[in-house]
Amino acid sequence: MKTTPLVTKKAEYLSAVVEGVLIVLAAFLIIREAVLALPNPHLEDAPLLGIVVNVVATGVNGAWACLLLKIGRREGSPALEASSRHIFTDVMTSVGVVAGLILALATGWLILDPILAILVALNILWEGWKVIRASVDGLMDATLSDHDLQTVSNAIEANLGAALEYHDLKGRRSANVIFVEFHLVVDGTMPVSAAHDICNDIEEELERLYPGSVFVIHLEPDDELKGDGVRSH
């Protein structure tokens, strides 16, 4: 049995949820260690060497995360985007560690190290929550956003041709696929072939905007005019 693109995308969103949970867990672990260090803050041995190692690791992780994010957005892969954000949390952690060490060494206030670690962890916690929230939305069949509905409306209006009106526009999103349906009113005497051509023009434009999505157009004669729909100009 072949795996459909929709099922594959759902699996990617599930993977992204797991990534988000791992990010949140990492943030809590950092907060825990930092809080435990507050009463007795101290620096590890060879802090300068640690700074150098962290800077190198941060550069490598940052470049890798940027590459994953670029590919993930280009391919529409939530799993790759979540992985990139996971790596970005390592980058943020490393930056926080380096900044904390430098401040502690420069001022002699060792408590700055765990305090900065807590602040960095809170930011990581927020990033993890955003990954989880976006991925859960992708797993659920959510109503189309106002932006998507407006985009669909604009595409329909631009290709109404000789149609009289469209109304009852509805849409939902499942992963990266949208499902749209609406009623298209045409002159009752219009040939079927002409009405079919209008439907094709609308579907082709919507397919260009949302590849792989599903569009259902209910053709109706002019006695179904509601007057509150959008008319062709």
Side-chain angles (χ1 to χ4, degrees):
M1 179 183 295
K2 290 184 178 180
T3 302
T4 65
L6 181 56
V7 171
T8 300
K9 192 62 66 174
K10 291 278 190 179
E12 286 207 38
Y13 275 115
L14 183 59
S15 172
V17 169
V18 174
E19 291 271 9
V21 171
L22 291 176
I23 292 172
V24 169
L25 288 176
F28 278 123
L29 288 174
I30 293 172
I31 291 174
R32 176 181 177 277
E33 292 300 318
V35 169
L36 291 176
L38 284 174
N40 184 31
H42 64 281
L43 295 180
E44 301 295 335
D45 295 334
L48 292 178
L49 177 60
I51 290 175
V52 172
V53 172
N54 265 289
V55 168
V56 173
T58 299
V60 173
N61 282 338
W64 180 237
C66 287
L67 179 61
L68 281 180
L69 185 60
K70 180 180 179 180
I71 296 174
R73 287 177 174 173
R74 185 185 68 200
E75 301 296 330
S77 171
L80 285 179
E81 288 193 43
S83 293
S84 72
R85 294 186 184 280
H86 196 170
I87 297 173
F88 269 128
T89 62
D90 292 335
V91 173
M92 287 188 287
T93 302
S94 298
V95 169
V97 168
V98 171
L101 285 172
I102 291 176
L103 286 174
L105 289 172
T107 63
W109 298 348
L110 303 187
I111 198 171
L112 290 176
D113 187 30
I115 288 176
L116 195 56
I118 291 174
L119 294 177
V120 170
L122 290 175
N123 185 51
I124 293 173
L125 189 62
W126 175 242
E127 288 297 321
W129 165 245
K130 288 195 294 185
V131 170
I132 293 173
R133 184 179 60 184
S135 302
V136 169
D137 286 345
L139 283 170
M140 306 296 288
D141 288 356
T143 302
L144 282 185
S145 66
D146 291 339
H147 172 73
D148 283 328
L149 279 175
Q150 188 59 55
T151 300
V152 171
S153 295
N154 292 342
I156 296 171
E157 291 173 31
N159 293 276
L160 276 178
L164 302 175
E165 175 186 281
Y166 79 92
H167 54 248
D168 293 342
L169 174 63
K170 300 174 184 176
R172 62 186 175 87
R173 176 181 290 276
S174 182
N176 67 329
V177 174
I178 70 169
F179 298 83
V180 170
E181 66 174 285
F182 60 93
H183 297 252
L184 184 69
V185 182
V186 299
D187 191 312
T189 61
M190 177 181 286
V192 173
S193 59
H196 182 263
D197 288 341
I198 295 174
C199 292
N200 276 347
D201 290 342
I202 294 173
E203 289 175 348
E204 286 176 4
E205 178 61 14
L206 291 174
E207 176 65 25
R208 184 185 68 81
L209 295 170
Y210 299 97
S213 294
V214 178
F215 312 105
V216 178
I217 303 176
H218 303 278
L219 272 177
E220 297 179 341
D222 49 13
D223 58 1
E224 294 293 334
L225 277 172
K226 288 191 173 183
D228 56 351
V230 177
R231 295 180 183 275
S232 174
H233 298 289

